[in-house]
Amino acid sequence: MNRWTNESLKLIGLISSLLIGTILYTILLVESDSGFLGLLILPVIVITSLAFGMRAGLSISVTLLVFLFIYFQSFAPLNAQGEVQFFNWRGIGFTTLLLMLSVVSGLVHQLVKRVQRSRYALEERARQLIAVDPETWLDNAERFQLNVNSERDRLVRHGGAFSVSFIQFDDFMRFEETYGRTEYEWFLNYFSDELHRATRRTDQKYRIAHDTFAIIFPYTSPEAAQVVHDRIRPLLEDYELQSGEHVRLTYEDMFYEVTLENATVMVDAILERASSLH
């Protein structure tokens, strides 16, 4: 059984009020001789409030009512009792309904905007929480950017250094085209497993683009990070396909060392490099 949220109930109430007000306005319109102008006013006010908010709707309402007041004062005929038609019960009813419907339409606009902002906030939260690559289950580019900045903040507080390396395969798109989807998925599982075996538990592994992997090495020099790449290199230079065929996979690797002295410049360079891969 679905549960009604407060926003849903409010929206139903506002829409019901809008429909009831429209019906009442239509009844007054039928009983009066306002003609095409009366038929046009309500849609203009309601659509303006729904699209641009209560302030815009009320501004249009007041402007139109002032115009009608001047019109009836200056040009409209008197009724049988000698009163200007704008001030009889129909005119007051029109004025009240127009203002009320403008306010209700504006409240609908506000509620919809608030729900949209809440949805966008939830989507952003979910995007940050589910920050993994679905093919390798390594953290993705968004998590990489967050963690690089976090590692820099740690460095500023506590000192030391850390390294970041990239492994970018050459023409990796052709691998799937040449050997098929199954072989491609098999390789990704194999490579992510070997990456875990070659690194420490504290080293953070990422897939930041289709053909690029990255590693953050806390408290590690580029020379020590190079050791991890050296462990991986033979596995790629003589990779065995499921068919038993051996192929050579070439790649480019890059290393960055972040210290307290170069933290800002180097982290900016790392993030720029990661962003350029998308």
Side-chain angles (χ1 to χ4, degrees), residues 28-259:
L28 284 177
L29 192 66
V30 171
E31 294 181 352
S32 68
D33 56 354
S34 58
F36 179 75
L37 182 60
L39 183 65
L40 182 64
I41 289 175
L42 182 62
V44 170
I45 291 176
V46 170
I47 292 174
T48 300
S49 294
L50 289 174
F52 304 105
M54 188 186 303
R55 182 178 299 178
L58 286 174
S59 299
I60 294 293
S61 300
V62 172
T63 301
L64 289 173
L65 289 172
V66 169
F67 168 78
L68 291 175
F69 175 79
I70 296 173
Y71 170 78
F72 280 108
Q73 282 286 85
S74 305
F75 306 105
L78 302 177
N79 63 12
Q81 286 76 33
E83 297 174 341
V84 178
Q85 294 180 16
F86 188 80
F87 296 107
N88 62 19
W89 69 271
R90 289 193 183 91
I92 295 174
F94 274 124
T95 302
T96 302
L97 284 173
L98 286 175
L99 293 175
M100 184 198 77
L101 292 173
S102 178
V103 171
V104 171
S105 302
L107 291 174
V108 172
H109 171 86
Q110 291 178 359
L111 181 60
V112 170
K113 295 290 286 186
R114 185 164 65 248
V115 170
Q116 287 179 336
R117 286 194 297 268
S118 298
R119 188 193 70 186
Y120 293 150
L122 288 173
E123 290 177 351
E124 177 64 19
R125 179 64 176 165
R127 185 185 64 82
Q128 293 179 2
L129 292 175
I130 309 174
V132 296
D133 172 61
E135 293 183 315
T136 62
W137 294 103
L138 298 173
D139 288 340
N140 64 11
E142 286 78 10
R143 185 65 62 81
F144 173 74
Q145 294 176 1
L146 289 173
N147 288 352
V148 168
N149 284 316
S150 297
E151 195 66 21
R152 175 183 57 186
D153 295 341
R154 180 204 59 77
L155 174 65
V156 171
R157 290 194 304 269
H158 304 293
F162 70 93
S163 296
V164 175
S165 70
F166 293 98
I167 301 174
Q168 183 173 17
F169 288 96
D170 298 328
D171 201 13
F172 193 53
M173 190 71 71
R174 183 174 295 180
F175 183 91
E176 181 179 1
E177 295 174 353
T178 302
Y179 302 110
R181 181 71 186 180
T182 301
E183 190 67 62
Y184 165 80
E185 293 176 348
W186 181 274
F187 170 76
L188 288 177
N189 290 329
Y190 166 82
F191 181 72
S192 61
D193 289 343
E194 293 301 326
L195 201 58
H196 282 293
R197 292 191 183 98
T199 55
R200 302 168 300 181
R201 183 174 297 178
T202 54
D203 299 332
Q204 302 163 33
K205 282 76 69 176
Y206 308 86
R207 188 187 186 191
I208 62 173
H210 176 75
D211 59 355
T212 307
F213 295 79
I215 309 171
I216 298 177
F217 299 91
Y219 301 104
T220 305
S221 66
E223 292 75 20
Q226 178 69 59
V227 174
V228 172
H229 287 236
D230 291 340
R231 292 173 186 167
I232 296 172
R233 190 182 306 277
L235 305 175
L236 300 177
E237 290 181 346
D238 189 28
Y239 175 69
E240 183 178 359
L241 301 174
Q242 295 181 78
S243 63
E245 178 186 355
H246 288 258
V247 296
R248 178 185 178 89
L249 299 174
T250 60
Y251 65 90
E252 175 187 3
D253 49 10
M254 298 184 63
F255 298 89
Y256 296 84
E257 182 177 21
V258 184
T259 64

